[in-house]
C-alpha cells in the first residue's frame, strides 16, 4: 500500500521520489486519527502552497484509488492527509502474510556471507560477565541475519596467544604442579596467574622470564607449546559448559594462535607497500596522519601482537569466506584498536575495508550484591546463569508448584531472563543488573514475554481442536482492540530489518514487549473461549495462534526459549 500511495503522491508533488516520500509517512498514535498519515510540510517548500491545501489535493487524488489500495476513507486534517485502511482487507493481508513459512520477513541476504566475531574469551581465564554480553549480542545478530537469509560464519576468536601465556608457564613451573592443575582446572590457572602479577610487582625480572617463554612459544618450543595446549584444553571444557547452558554453537574456534605464522608474511607485505617503519626496535604502521597512535605489527623481539594477528585474521577471512561484511562484537574500550586495524586494511589497498564493522557494547554492573566472586571483583557468567535458574525455580515453587518439568522451565526462564535483560537495553549503554528487575513477570522483562506466550498456548490447548483456517472470518477481527493487536504484528518485519541494519537486538526485544502488551489487552477485553459465535471464536483463536508464532520466533532471534507452560 505504501508503494502505491507514494507513487500517487510523487505525481502530485513532482520533484520528490517515492522512497523520499515514504520516509515522511507517519503512524498516528491511535487508530481514531487514521492508520497512516502523510505530513505535507516539506511538500509546501517545493510547491509553494499552504500544506493544508496540499493535504486536500493529495486526499482528492487518493480518493480515486482507495478501493484498489485497500483504503476505507481519507481525511485532510490541517497539514496532514490521514488514511483509514479497509480493516477487513488489512487484517486478511497481515495474517495471510504471517501464515507463510517466512513469517512475512523477506530473505534479503540470500547468497551473501557475513562473518561475526564474538564471545572470544581468553584461554586460562574464567568466562566472566563481560564475555556474556558479547556472546548474547553476537548470537542474536547471528540469528537475525540468518533469518534474513544470509550465510553466517560464527567465529569464536579465542584469546589463546600472547605474553600472558609466558606468565602462566612461569607461574606453573614456580608455584604449581600437574596434580594441582588436574584437580582444580581453570581455577588453579587463574590463581597462579594472579600470584604471578602480584609477585612481578616486587620481582620485575619475572616479566623477562615470561617474555622469554612467549618467544619460545613463537619459535615452536615443544615444552612451551605442550603446556599451552594443555591449558587450552582445560579452558575449552570450561567454555563449552557455559555455551551449552546458553544453547550456543560456533562454526570456527580459530583463535589468535592460528594467525601467528601469518604475521611474518604480513610484515613483508606491509614493508613492500611502504607502510612499515621501525620505532624503538618495533615494527609499526604510522597512523599519526589519522590522529591515531602507531599500529604495532611486531615487537622488539620479533614476536606478533594482537594488532598484527587481527589484521592477518581479516585478510584470511576475506580470502576464505569472501564475506559481504565482517562484524566484531567487542567492548567499547576496543574502539581505537579496531579503528587502527581497519585503517591498516584500508592503507593496504583493500577497497572492501568499509565492510568491516566494530559493534561496541557497554559495561555491566550488579546492583547491591556480588555473586560468587572467587577473586577480586570478577563475576563469572556461569554463576549468574546458575543463580538465575535457581531463583526462577524458587518463583515457580511459589507461583505454580504443580508445574510439570519444573527444572527445564526454570532453566528456560532464568537464562532467558538474563539474556532478555541484556538485549532489551541498547547495547552501547551500561547495564545495571538487578535480580528483581531481571526476573519480574511484569513490565519489560523476558519472563513477561515468556508468560504471554504460555498464556496463548494455554488458550489453544483448552480449545483442544485443530483450527479450521478456511473458516476464519476476518471481519470479526476488525474491532479496535483486535485491530490494534494486528497492527502491532505488522511491526515484526520492520523490527527484524531495523535490528539488522543497526546491529541492535534491542529493537526486537522492545517489539516483543509491545506485542505482549497488546495481546494481554486483547485477552482481557475480547472473549475468546467463551465467545458464543463459533466463527468469531475460531478467528480470535487464529489470532492467538499467530501472536504465539511471532513471540516464539522473536524470542528465538534473541536466543531465548519459550516454555509451553509457566
Amino acid at each position: 500500500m505504501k508503494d502505491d500511495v507514494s507513487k500517487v503522491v510523487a505525481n502530485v508533488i513532482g520533484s520528490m521520489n517515492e522512497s523520499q516520500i515514504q520516509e515522511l509517512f507517519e503512524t498516528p498514535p491511535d487508530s481514531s486519527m487514521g492508520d497512516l498519515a502523510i505530513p505535507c510540510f516539506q511538500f509546501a517548500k517545493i510547491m509553494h502552497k499552504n500544506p493544508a491545501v496540499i493535504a486536500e489535493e493529495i486526499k482528492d487524488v487518493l480518493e480515486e484509488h482507495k478501493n484498489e489500495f485497500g483504503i476505507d476513507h481519507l481525511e485532510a486534517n490541517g497539514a496532514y492527509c490521514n488514511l483509514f485502511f479497509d480493516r477487513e482487507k488489512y487484517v486478511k493481508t497481515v495474517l495471510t502474510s504471517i501464515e507463510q513459512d517466512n513469517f512475512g520477513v523477506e530473505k534479503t541476504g540470500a547468497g551473501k556471507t557475513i562473518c561475526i566475531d564474538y564471545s572470544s574469551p581468553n584461554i586460562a581465564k574464567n568466562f566472566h560477565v563481560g564475555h556474556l554480553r558479547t556472546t548474547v549480542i553476537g548470537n542474536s545478530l547471528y540469528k537475525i541475519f540468518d533469518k534474513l537469509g544470509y550465510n553466517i560464519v560464527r567465529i569464536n576468536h579465542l584469546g589463546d596467544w600472547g605474553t600472558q601465556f609466558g606468565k602462566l608457564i612461569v607461574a606453573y613451573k614456580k608455584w604449581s604442579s600437574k596434580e594441582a592443575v588436574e584437580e582444580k582446572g581453570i581455577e588453579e590457572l587463574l590463581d597462579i596467574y594472579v600470584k604471578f602479577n602480584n609477585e612481578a610487582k616486587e620481582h620485575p625480572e619475572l616479566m623477562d622470564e615470561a617474555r622469554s617463554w612467549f618467544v619460545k612459544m613463537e619459535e615452536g618450543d615443544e615444552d612451551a607449546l605442550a603446556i599451552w595446549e594443555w591449558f587450552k584444553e582445560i579452558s575449552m571444557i570450561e567454555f563449552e559448559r557455559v555455551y551449552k547452558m546458553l544453547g550456543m554453537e560456533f562454526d570456527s574456534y580459530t583463535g589468535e594462535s592460528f594467525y601467528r605464522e601469518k604475521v611474518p608474511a604480513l610484515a613483508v607485505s606491509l614493508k613492500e607497500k611502504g607502510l612499515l617503519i621501525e620505532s624503538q626496535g618495533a615494527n609499526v604502521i604510522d597512523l599519526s596522519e589519522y590522529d591515531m597512535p602507531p599500529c604495532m605489527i611486531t615487537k622488539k623481539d620479533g614476536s606478533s601482537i594482537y594488532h598484527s594477528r587481527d589484521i592477518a585474521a581479516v585478510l584470511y577471512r576475506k580470502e576464505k569466506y569472501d564475506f559481504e561484511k565482517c562484524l566484531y562484537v567487542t567492548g567499547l574500550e576496543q574502539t581505537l584498536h579496531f579503528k587502527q586495524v581497519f585503517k591498516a586494511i584500508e592503507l593496504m589497498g583493500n577497497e572492501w575495508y568499509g565492510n568491516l564493522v566494530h559493534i561496541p557494547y557497554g559495561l555491566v554492573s550488579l546492583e547491591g550484591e556480588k555473586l560468587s566472586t572467587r577473586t577480586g571483583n570478577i563475576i563469572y557468567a556461569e554463576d549468574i546463569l546458575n543463580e538465575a535458574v535457581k531463583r526462577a525455580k524458587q518463583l515457580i515453587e511459589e507461583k505454580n508448584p504443580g508445574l510439570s518439568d519444573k527444572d527445564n522451565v526454570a532453566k528456560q526462564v532464568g537464562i532467558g531472563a538474563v539474556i532478555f535483560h541484556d538485549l532489551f537495553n541498547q547495547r552501547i549503554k551500561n547495564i545495571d543488573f538487578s535480580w528483581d528487575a531481571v526476573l519480574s513477570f511484569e513490565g519489560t522483562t523476558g519472563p513477561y514475554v515468556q508468560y504471554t506466550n504460555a498464556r496463548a498456548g494455554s488458550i489453544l490447548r483448552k480449545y483442544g481442536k485443530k483450527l479450521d483456517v478456511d473458516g476464519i472470518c476476518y471481519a470479526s477481527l476488525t474491532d479496535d482492540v483486535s485491530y490494534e493487536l494486528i497492527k502491532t504484528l505488522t511491526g515484526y518485519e520492520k523490527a527484524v530489518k531495523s535490528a539488522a541494519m543497526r546491529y541492535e537486538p534491542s529493537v526486537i526485544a522492545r517489539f516483543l514487549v509491545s506485542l505482549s502488551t497488546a495481546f494481554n489487552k486483547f485477552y482481557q477485553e475480547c472473549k475468546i473461549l467463551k465467545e458464543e459465535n463459533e466463527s468469531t471464536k475460531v478467528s480470535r483463536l487464529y489470532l492467538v495462534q499467530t501472536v504465539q508464532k511471532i513471540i516464539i520466533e522473536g524470542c528465538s532471534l534473541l536466543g531465548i526459549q519459550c516454555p509451553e507452560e509457566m
Side-chain angles (χ1 to χ4, degrees):
M1 182 191 290
K2 286 182 178 179
D3 290 342
D4 291 334
V5 170
S6 62
K7 285 178 185 176
V8 172
V9 175
N11 288 332
V12 174
I13 307 306
S15 59
M16 287 183 77
N17 63 42
E18 294 159 30
S19 61
Q20 290 173 320
I21 289 169
Q22 280 201 40
E23 286 178 9
L24 300 176
F25 288 175
E26 296 178 5
T27 302
D30 67 73
S31 295
S32 66
M33 300 169 67
D35 298 302
L36 185 70
I38 307 173
C40 300
F41 302 103
Q42 288 200 33
F43 305 153
K45 298 175 184 177
I46 297 168
M47 301 177 72
H48 305 293
K49 291 183 180 180
N50 188 306
V53 173
I54 299 172
E56 284 283 359
E57 289 181 9
I58 292 173
K59 170 183 169 292
D60 291 341
V61 175
L62 285 174
E63 285 277 5
E64 301 172 15
H65 302 275
K66 68 179 186 179
N67 290 334
E68 62 183 287
F69 289 177
I71 299 171
D72 181 75
H73 66 283
L74 301 103
E75 292 179 0
N77 188 349
Y80 290 85
C81 177
N82 297 326
L83 284 64
F84 294 78
F85 299 160
D86 180 321
R87 288 193 176 189
E88 186 174 348
K89 284 184 180 179
Y90 181 82
V91 166
K92 183 177 181 180
T93 301
V94 172
L95 296 182
T96 303
S97 172
I98 293 172
E99 183 64 29
Q100 298 169 358
D101 291 342
N102 201 30
F103 291 86
V105 178
E106 187 181 353
K107 297 284 186 183
T108 54
K112 302 172 185 176
T113 296
I114 291 180
C115 293
I116 308 181
D117 181 327
Y118 62 104
S119 197
S120 309
N122 294 320
I123 295 298
K125 293 182 182 178
N126 287 83
F127 196 105
H128 60 70
V129 71
H131 293 123
L132 193 57
R133 286 218 76 190
T134 167
T135 304
V136 300
I137 293 169
N139 184 65
S140 181
L141 291 176
Y142 144 63
K143 289 176 175 289
I144 290 165
F145 281 107
D146 181 67
K147 174 70 180 171
L148 290 171
Y150 289 88
N151 173 46
I152 311 299
V153 183
R154 298 165 292 180
I155 299 173
N156 197 330
H157 187 71
L158 296 170
D160 63 355
W161 204 250
T163 308
Q164 68 267 33
F165 295 101
K167 295 179 182 180
L168 265 174
I169 292 173
V170 172
Y172 169 68
K173 288 184 172 291
K174 286 184 179 295
W175 304 302
S176 190
S177 65
K178 182 180 179 182
E179 293 75 21
V181 173
E182 286 179 343
E183 179 187 349
K184 297 172 65 180
I186 204 164
E187 189 175 344
E188 173 70 6
L189 298 182
L190 189 59
D191 285 345
I192 61 175
Y193 185 76
V194 171
K195 183 175 177 64
F196 176 93
N197 285 314
N198 289 333
E199 291 288 333
K201 293 174 186 175
E202 300 294 327
H203 304 282
E205 66 275 9
L206 286 171
M207 280 302 302
D208 294 329
E209 288 187 54
R211 281 189 282 266
S212 175
W213 272 105
F214 179 56
V215 171
K216 287 181 181 181
M217 286 172 60
E218 292 248 302
E219 293 173 346
D221 180 85
E222 289 186 10
D223 184 27
L225 291 179
I227 297 172
W228 168 74
E229 285 281 6
W230 180 36
F231 290 171
K232 187 174 177 179
E233 289 171 9
I234 292 170
S235 301
M236 286 307 301
I237 293 170
E238 181 90 5
F239 300 155
E240 287 291 357
R241 190 169 63 248
V242 176
Y243 294 137
K244 187 176 180 180
M245 290 180 74
L246 293 167
M248 296 180 187
E249 296 178 346
F250 292 86
D251 301 303
S252 169
Y253 281 97
T254 303
E256 291 189 67
S257 62
F258 177 80
Y259 301 101
R260 70 185 191 276
E261 295 178 356
K262 302 182 184 301
V263 171
L266 171 65
V268 170
S269 176
L270 289 168
K271 197 165 187 178
E272 289 174 350
K273 293 176 185 291
L275 296 172
L276 205 63
I277 63 172
E278 187 178 314
S279 175
Q280 299 178 1
N283 285 311
V284 305
I285 301 173
D286 180 13
L287 298 178
S288 57
E289 182 181 343
Y290 309 99
D291 296 320
M292 285 187 272
C295 179
M296 188 179 292
I297 301 301
T298 56
K299 294 185 279 189
K300 288 181 183 179
D301 56 18
S303 60
S304 62
I305 192 169
Y306 57 94
H307 284 91
S308 52
R309 294 192 289 270
D310 272 358
I311 294 169
V314 173
L315 298 172
Y316 172 81
R317 291 169 188 172
K318 184 62 178 176
E319 182 180 356
K320 183 174 176 65
Y321 303 114
D322 190 26
F323 56 72
E324 175 86 5
K325 288 184 179 181
C326 188
L327 313 181
Y328 295 82
V329 185
T330 71
L332 184 62
E333 69 280 359
Q334 293 195 44
T335 299
L336 174 59
H337 167 76
F338 283 105
K339 281 184 178 178
Q340 291 173 302
V341 170
F342 298 168
K343 179 58 69 173
I345 293 293
E346 178 188 357
L347 293 176
M348 292 178 74
N350 299 296
E351 294 181 356
W352 44 265
Y353 72 91
N355 295 330
L356 305 173
V357 183
H358 177 221
I359 301 172
Y361 55 84
L363 301 173
V364 180
S365 59
L366 283 102
E367 183 181 271
E369 57 185 296
K370 292 181 179 180
L371 291 174
S372 186
T373 53
R374 297 175 193 149
T375 61
N377 60 352
I378 300 172
I379 299 166
Y380 299 117
E382 191 172 6
D383 291 335
I384 284 183
L385 296 175
N386 283 329
E387 182 70 14
V389 173
K390 176 184 168 186
R391 292 189 182 217
K393 180 77 176 292
Q394 290 171 349
L395 283 171
I396 290 169
E397 295 289 2
E398 292 171 14
K399 294 176 179 288
N400 191 4
L403 181 68
S404 60
D405 200 15
K406 283 186 279 193
D407 288 340
N408 190 44
V409 173
K411 182 180 177 183
Q412 291 175 337
V413 172
I415 293 175
V418 172
I419 293 173
F420 194 92
H421 182 264
D422 189 308
L423 297 181
F424 183 81
N425 296 278
Q426 290 184 348
R427 57 177 165 75
I428 203 66
K429 291 186 177 180
N430 294 338
I431 291 179
D432 190 19
F433 190 98
S434 158
W435 282 117
D436 289 340
V438 170
L439 287 169
S440 172
F441 280 76
E442 298 177 357
T444 57
T445 68
Y448 172 66
V449 174
Q450 289 172 314
Y451 185 73
T452 303
N453 169 75
R455 169 175 277 173
S458 175
I459 294 168
L460 295 169
R461 282 193 302 276
K462 286 176 182 176
Y463 181 64
K465 293 182 282 185
K466 185 176 180 180
L467 292 177
D468 177 15
V469 178
D470 294 332
I472 302 301
C473 174
Y474 296 104
S476 64
L477 299 175
T478 57
D479 62 276
D480 288 347
V481 176
S482 301
Y483 187 59
E484 286 300 327
L485 175 56
I486 291 165
K487 284 175 68 177
T488 304
L489 280 169
T490 65
Y492 180 58
E493 180 177 23
K494 183 179 179 182
V496 174
K497 289 182 176 179
S498 178
M501 183 177 67
R502 295 163 51 191
Y503 311 110
E504 188 62 82
S506 67
V507 178
I508 293 174
R510 290 167 187 265
F511 164 80
L512 288 171
V513 169
S514 297
L515 179 60
S516 298
T517 302
F519 175 79
N520 287 315
K521 184 177 181 182
F522 165 76
Y523 171 78
Q524 296 292 339
E525 297 190 19
C526 295
K527 291 180 181 179
I528 304 174
L529 293 174
K530 292 183 179 180
E531 172 59 47
E532 294 178 1
N533 184 295
E534 187 64 19
S535 176
T536 301
K537 180 195 291 186
V538 170
S539 300
R540 287 176 178 169
L541 284 166
Y542 179 58
L543 180 52
V544 171
Q545 180 178 275
T546 303
V547 170
Q548 187 185 37
K549 276 185 181 181
I550 295 297
I551 289 179
I552 292 172
E553 168 86 4
C555 282
S556 75
L557 296 184
L558 302 179
I560 295 171
Q561 293 180 306
C562 289
E564 291 184 13
E565 297 181 72
M566 284 175 67

